[in-house]
């Protein structure tokens, strides 16, 4: 899904999103509980991480800071990033023959 806003340098590329989306999707898209596009929430998290800005300084064209923060907490509690890092490490090790 493309966003109508001008992209930030921290936005996830289509290739990156294809890689990380399966790890971040805790509920199916049709679950109806999602108010904001998951990719935009992830873009918001990347913005905060890349810029070091405080949560409350999230730009207005990204999802609200509280929504991004709450989803980031869900991802952290579910171990999404650890699982992604583990699988990436395994792929990279295979790529170099280890």
């Amino acid at each position: 899904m493309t966003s109508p806003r001008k992209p930030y340098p921290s936005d996830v590329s289509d290739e990156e999103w294809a890689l990380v989306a399966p790890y971040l999707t805790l509920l199916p898209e049709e679950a109806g509980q999602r108010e904001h596009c998951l990719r935009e929430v992830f873009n918001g998290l990347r913005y905060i991480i890349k810029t070091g800005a405080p949560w409350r300084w999230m730009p207005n064209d990204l999802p609200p800071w509280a929504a991004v923060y709450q989803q980031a907490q869900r991802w952290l509690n579910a171990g999404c990033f650890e699982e992604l890092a583990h699988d990436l490490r395994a792929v990279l090790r295979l790529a170099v023959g280890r």
Side-chain angles (χ1 to χ4, degrees):
M1 174 191 295
T2 58
S3 175
R5 66 173 173 77
K6 184 178 177 188
Y8 291 99
S10 59
D11 282 358
V12 65
S13 70
D14 290 340
E15 295 81 19
E16 291 169 328
W17 182 244
L19 177 71
V20 301
Y23 293 92
L24 303 179
T25 307
L26 301 176
L27 292 172
E29 285 288 331
E30 60 275 359
Q33 298 176 0
R34 195 168 285 130
E35 186 177 338
H36 305 285
C37 170
L38 201 58
R39 184 172 179 164
E40 283 298 283
V41 172
F42 188 64
N43 282 334
L45 178 61
R46 284 177 52 119
Y47 178 88
I48 293 296
I49 291 168
K50 291 275 190 174
T51 64
W55 285 103
R56 292 178 189 263
W57 289 8
M58 178 91 57
N60 291 331
D61 55 354
L62 288 169
W65 74 268
V68 176
Y69 177 82
Q70 290 168 1
Q71 185 61 52
Q73 292 303 307
R74 287 186 203 103
W75 286 329
L76 288 168
N77 291 335
C80 296
F81 300 119
E82 288 86 356
E83 187 177 337
L84 173 61
H86 177 270
D87 290 353
L88 279 174
R89 188 176 305 114
V91 167
L92 292 173
R93 289 178 61 83
L94 286 172
V96 295
R98 299 195 303 186

